[in-house]
Amino acid sequence: MESPDTLAAIRTDGDLGTDSGAAQEVLRRVFGYDSFRGDQREIVEQVVGGGDALVLMPTGGGKSLCYQVPALVRPGVGVVVSPLIALMQDQVDALSALGVRAGFLNSTQFPDERRTVEAQFVSGELDLLYLAPERLRLESTADLLDRGKVALFAIDEAHCVSQWGHDFRPDYLSLSMLHERWPRVPRIALTATATDKTRDEIIQRLDLGSAKRFVASFDRPNIQYRIEPKNRPDRQLLDFISTEHAGDAGIVYCLSRNSVEKTAAFLTENGVTAVPYHAGLDARTRATNQSRFLREDGLVVVATIAFGMGIDKPDVRFVAHLDLPKSVEGYYQETGRAGRDGLPSTAWMVYGLNDVVQQRKMIDSSDGDAAHRRQLQLHLDAMLALCETVECRRTQLLGYFGQPGAPCGNCDTCLTPPESWDGTVPAQKVLSTVLRLKRERGQSFGAGHIVDILIGKKNPKVLQHDHHELKVFGVGTDLRDTEWRGVVRQLLAQSLLAVHGDYGVLTLTEASDGVLFEGRKVMMRREPERAAPSRAARTTKSAKSAKAQVDLAPADVGLFEKLREWRGATAKEQGVPAYVVFHDATLREIAGRKPVSLSELGAVSGVGENKLAKYGEQVLEALTAE
Ligand code: ADP
Ligand code: ZN
């Protein structure tokens, strides 16, 4: 373990008691940052003063400092409850690099490792202890906590306590005991996902009624949101990556393991280094692929949603969805993994008729009672509304989380506004085809066949059922096949059509009558020919240096690359992810400022005392080396 020189020095230099100057001192000397961001200062003061806090901040907002700084300022050990077992080692490594004494307890450890950490905790040799929630259920853990001094409890990913949310973990329910057993220890609960409903559930289940609440803006202005019509998803993805994000790290989400495997193979064949990640792979392969993603520059992970929670890699440049997420919460959390470092990033998704059919079918056939299905339905409806909107995507997203916003200028609908058009007549054509089949023939069919009837395609299936004799046969030659699919998709999205069973047959809903018989108007979205590429993409030819070019003078790009090389070698030697050595943002600032002394280097944001002592000379050398 790293020697805690810096902290020891701060501890002896100044009385750290509950002085708020101490927090500032820790921020500057340990983390190398000049000032707190947003609500951080107030949150830190609340917890340092012994009060409880509930913190809602988007990914990348800076939640970790909110409990790490108080843990260092208050006497005792900060205990962090986190479900992210696979990441605990990396978190501890990152803290060690700062000179913070951290350890973890979870099921992946050997008993003797665990005993060492426990002994360190009891004798106060730790600043932070990470704990898996299931360990808190053990009486032995509670006894352990009684034997040491706890500075605070941080409950990370607090939305896991919510049964309404999408990440429910039963072990989180037992966290209510923290307050009962250690009523004097301050608690801070943090999450990046919280609609009002989730928030209320967190407060109620964790007994945080009297905690001070901090709600940051959920906007992630550096992320560009785009949703495009799906036709050949693999090709579209490859196009997107190679024109806008070649050489960048990214995450691609697919619904099934099979499509994860296929997509990863397809990307690799086409020169994009990509690895798969899903629950069907053995634990070793998963761990290796995750670790490669964290450690290597520019690797793409193709994954089911099993991947990514809590991954704090700051330089993920894009998140792509090849299938529709089940909820806006899920979508926002997944896309939020892009651009934690604040640099331009893209959330890109393709979406089509089959997504709606598939998701509606899945809900239709899901276990659980009607109330549960209704809940899934509401989640999906909100997600579909986001896909079909002609308004700013960001405004819609923020609105979903109860926050107002103005058109952002950095989403596809702002950059290339889609038209909305009156789709009432085409809607009536689709609906009456479904109705006639049912009334005249007692039949139901899927979307593909309905479209074939509308455009008058005499294919074998049509002929077999004599559907060319229907009155509606060929009434839709004014639109192309793909346009009809768009119409059906939007009818499904607006619940003017329903889909059932293994074959995905279409049926009318209660609302269909309004369109067929009561003159209800149906507005639809017309896709722009092709969504505009991001601004970053248009200015970036050599994608390898995309990050450097964001705010570096061209002359400094070479210097930045040189620093990155040094960082890569250093990280490899120490077996830690590159960002544990220094973040991209820090390297960029160094390249821009070109410090010539240790004290100049120490003034760069992200260079704390421990890193300055450890790497300072090497960095100055790398800067002057030819
Ligand atoms: P979250 O946990 O909310 O997703 P992190 O705690 O990982 O966010 O912080 C996101 C990034 O912002 C990290 O790179 C972190 O070092 C940086 N950061 C956080 N607070 C500050 C600050 N006050 N000044 C500068 N950088 C900060
Ligand atoms: Zn917008």
Side-chain angles (χ1 to χ4, degrees), residues 74 91 148 173 227 231 250 279 285 324 374 410 413 424 439 455 472 531 544:
R74 282 179 66 86
Q91 278 165 327
L173 291 176
I227 301 175
N231 36 66
T285 312
L324 186 71
R374 179 86 196 118
N410 192 27
T413 58
T424 311
R439 281 218 183 132
I455 58 179
V472 287
K544 187 159 180 258

Side-chain angles (χ1 to χ4, degrees), residues 63 86 107 128 152 181 219 276 338 365 403 469 515 553 571 590 623:
K63 284 186 287 300
S107 54
L128 280 157
L152 59 87
R181 185 143 179 173
D219 191 11
S365 61
Q403 300 185 341
E469 285 163 13
V515 180
I590 296 175
L623 282 171

Side-chain angles (χ1 to χ4, degrees), residues 572-588:
K572 196 156 190 188
E573 202 178 283
Q574 298 176 359
V576 295
Y579 60 81
V580 166
V581 178
F582 282 122
H583 284 186
D584 276 4
T586 302
L587 290 192
R588 260 205 331 278

Side-chain angles (χ1 to χ4, degrees), residues 225-429:
Y225 297 95
R226 281 157 46 197
I227 301 175
E228 296 177 6
K230 188 194 277 193
N231 36 66
R232 297 179 58 198
D234 281 2
R235 277 271 144 218
Q236 287 172 285
L237 175 68
L238 182 63
D239 243 26
F240 164 70
I241 295 178
S242 45
T243 53
E244 300 181 38
H245 286 292
D248 283 344
I251 306 175
V252 178
Y253 286 110
C254 304
L255 211 55
S256 74
R257 297 172 186 184
N258 186 30
S259 57
V260 163
E261 293 285 351
K262 275 203 196 135
T263 308
F266 174 81
L267 288 178
T268 305
E269 275 161 30
N270 287 280
V272 177
T273 322
V275 295
Y277 189 102
H278 56 73
L281 294 168
D282 62 277
R284 266 257 300 281
T285 312
R286 264 183 296 161
T288 310
N289 288 355
Q290 171 169 310
S291 157
R292 281 188 63 188
F293 181 66
L294 293 174
R295 279 162 179 73
E296 289 175 24
D297 269 336
L299 188 76
V300 174
V301 170
V302 185
T304 53
I305 51 169
F307 181 77
M309 190 181 182
I311 283 208
D312 52 5
K313 184 175 168 63
D315 56 355
V316 177
R317 290 274 72 84
F318 68 89
V319 169
H321 282 92
L322 292 192
D323 295 302
L324 186 71
K326 293 185 175 60
S327 69
V328 176
E329 279 100 328
Y331 170 77
Y332 204 60
Q333 207 176 56
E334 285 146 26
T335 55
R337 290 167 190 150
R340 292 168 87 107
D341 54 10
L343 300 180
S345 310
T346 319
W348 180 89
M349 176 163 109
V350 286
Y351 150 80
L353 171 60
N354 281 343
D355 288 296
V356 195
V357 171
Q358 199 173 23
Q359 296 270 5
R360 289 257 194 253
K361 258 167 46 184
M362 261 160 54
I363 294 174
D364 194 43
S365 61
S366 78
D367 308 333
D369 54 13
H372 177 66
R373 274 206 291 277
R374 179 86 196 118
Q375 212 164 69
L376 296 175
Q377 201 71 60
L378 289 173
H379 276 304
L380 179 60
D381 284 344
M383 190 62 222
L384 292 172
L386 176 69
C387 292
E388 302 290 359
T389 186
V390 292
E391 313 285 332
C392 169
R393 307 254 193 224
R394 193 180 311 270
T395 311
Q396 179 120 354
L397 277 167
L398 291 176
Y400 186 77
F401 295 107
Q403 300 185 341
C408 73
N410 192 27
C411 72
D412 55 355
T413 58
C414 280
L415 292 168
T416 327
E419 287 167 33
S420 60
W421 59 292
D422 186 342
T424 311
V425 172
Q428 287 167 340
K429 289 180 180 172

Side-chain angles (χ1 to χ4, degrees), residues 4-321:
D5 295 338
T6 314
L7 285 162
I10 296 178
R11 288 208 172 94
T12 43
D13 282 2
D15 170 19
L16 281 183
T18 53
D19 175 9
S20 86
Q24 183 70 38
E25 184 82 354
V26 165
L27 180 72
R28 194 175 58 78
R29 294 177 64 175
V30 178
F31 296 91
Y33 298 139
D34 289 337
S35 52
F36 286 109
R37 255 192 211 162
D39 290 338
Q40 280 177 336
R41 175 190 304 282
E42 258 192 274
I43 298 167
V44 166
E45 279 172 7
Q46 166 77 0
V47 180
V48 167
D52 295 338
L54 172 63
V55 175
L56 279 74
M57 230 186 238
T59 313
K63 284 186 287 300
S64 333
L65 282 186
C66 298
Y67 58 83
Q68 288 169 348
V69 172
L72 294 173
V73 172
R74 282 179 66 86
V77 184
V79 174
V80 186
V81 181
S82 163
L84 310 166
I85 294 175
L87 296 170
M88 287 183 177
Q89 184 64 56
D90 280 335
Q91 278 165 327
V92 165
D93 286 347
L95 286 164
S96 301
L98 298 168
V100 176
R101 305 167 305 173
F104 63 83
L105 291 174
N106 67 33
S107 54
T108 65
Q109 282 166 308
F110 291 116
D112 56 329
E113 288 174 322
R114 205 177 298 152
R115 274 194 294 274
T116 308
V117 176
E118 287 173 356
Q120 287 169 334
F121 169 78
V122 172
S123 59
E125 290 164 49
L126 290 181
D127 299 306
L128 280 157
L129 174 66
Y130 286 81
L131 262 191
E134 60 271 19
R135 297 214 73 78
L136 268 175
R137 277 213 319 247
L138 306 175
E139 191 48 35
S140 58
T141 307
D143 285 345
L144 173 75
L145 295 183
D146 275 336
R147 278 186 285 138
K149 183 165 178 52
V150 180
L152 59 87
F153 288 111
I155 301 160
D156 208 3
E157 313 289 350
H159 61 278
C160 290
V161 80
S162 157
Q163 270 156 331
W164 152 261
H166 58 291
D167 271 332
F168 175 59
R169 311 223 172 188
D171 284 320
Y172 262 63
L173 291 176
S174 55
L175 295 185
S176 58
M177 65 88 124
L178 294 179
H179 194 41
E180 288 154 23
R181 185 143 179 173
W182 296 281
R184 302 171 70 85
V185 178
R187 294 168 304 152
I188 169 171
L190 312 102
T191 177
T193 339
T195 51
D196 289 348
K197 210 163 165 178
T198 318
R199 190 182 315 173
D200 293 345
E201 222 182 318
I202 294 174
I203 292 170
Q204 183 224 328
R205 292 194 191 276
L206 295 179
D207 193 12
L208 282 168
S210 49
K212 199 160 170 190
R213 292 168 208 182
F214 299 90
V215 183
S217 162
F218 269 65
D219 191 11
R220 301 284 311 281
N222 61 311
I223 299 182
Q224 182 176 83
Y225 297 95
R226 281 157 46 197
I227 301 175
E228 296 177 6
K230 188 194 277 193
N231 36 66
R232 297 179 58 198
D234 281 2
R235 277 271 144 218
Q236 287 172 285
L237 175 68
L238 182 63
D239 243 26
F240 164 70
I241 295 178
S242 45
T243 53
E244 300 181 38
H245 286 292
D248 283 344
I251 306 175
V252 178
Y253 286 110
C254 304
L255 211 55
S256 74
R257 297 172 186 184
N258 186 30
S259 57
V260 163
E261 293 285 351
K262 275 203 196 135
T263 308
F266 174 81
L267 288 178
T268 305
E269 275 161 30
N270 287 280
V272 177
T273 322
V275 295
Y277 189 102
H278 56 73
L281 294 168
D282 62 277
R284 266 257 300 281
T285 312
R286 264 183 296 161
T288 310
N289 288 355
Q290 171 169 310
S291 157
R292 281 188 63 188
F293 181 66
L294 293 174
R295 279 162 179 73
E296 289 175 24
D297 269 336
L299 188 76
V300 174
V301 170
V302 185
T304 53
I305 51 169
F307 181 77
M309 190 181 182
I311 283 208
D312 52 5
K313 184 175 168 63
D315 56 355
V316 177
R317 290 274 72 84
F318 68 89
V319 169
H321 282 92

